[in-house]
Amino acid sequence: MVSRIPSGKLATYGQIAELIGSYGYARQVGWSLSRLPLPSSIPWHRVVNARGQISMSLRREGSDWIQRDLLLSEGIQFDINSRVSLKQYLWRPEIRDLLLGQLED
DNA sequence: CATTTGACGCTCT
DNA sequence: TAGAGCGCCAAAT
């Protein structure tokens, strides 16, 4: 599901959980992404928390800052408090995005 | 088996 | 609006 987030858009952990039919499993979404070997073809950096912030943690060993750079390179703007406007960037999946399997175009 | 720990999120002050 | 508090739930310890 994360792979379907288009460049320039963002999704929240809770949103991804809900989209895959696992309401309430936001933490597990975060855990899953944390297990990704980097670099990854999956756009993991397009997932932020519900407050519109990158979840910073020393345990991430820099991947949080990498996430910030990747988002900046995709045109995402951060305010003075390192927050993004979910109002503006939140991904609104279309019906075909919700279908299982990987289809193109 | 019992606790603690998170790339979380919502509510109440 | 920023924090604190609490609920959440599987992985880690």
Side-chain angles (χ1 to χ4, degrees):
Chain A
M1 189 56 74
V2 173
S3 296
R4 299 175 185 179
I5 307 171
S7 175
K9 286 296 179 181
L10 304 172
T12 67
Y13 297 96
Q15 178 185 10
I16 294 299
E18 194 167 354
L19 288 175
I20 62 176
S22 299
Y23 176 81
Y25 285 64
R27 303 192 90 119
Q28 283 67 19
V29 171
W31 181 85
S32 299
L33 295 180
S34 75
R35 302 285 66 188
L36 280 176
L38 301 182
S40 172
S41 59
I42 295 177
W44 55 273
H45 57 284
R46 295 177 188 152
V47 185
V48 298
N49 63 37
R51 293 160 42 190
Q53 293 183 299
I54 288 175
S55 293
M56 305 297 287
S57 171
L58 295 174
R59 293 181 181 264
R60 292 185 60 176
E61 304 181 325
S63 74
D64 41 8
W65 290 99
I66 291 176
Q67 180 172 14
R68 183 190 176 85
D69 287 340
L70 289 172
L71 291 182
L72 283 171
S73 73
E74 294 186 349
I76 301 295
Q77 305 226 340
F78 288 79
D79 66 18
I80 193 61
N81 298 307
S82 287
R83 304 227 334 239
V84 299
S85 169
L86 287 182
K87 177 90 172 178
Q88 176 179 7
Y89 303 118
L90 189 66
W91 174 48
R92 267 89 178 181
E94 293 171 44
I95 304 300
R96 64 165 166 288
D97 291 318
L98 306 177
L99 304 178
L100 285 144
Q102 44 281 336
L103 47 171
E104 321 312 323
D105 81 65

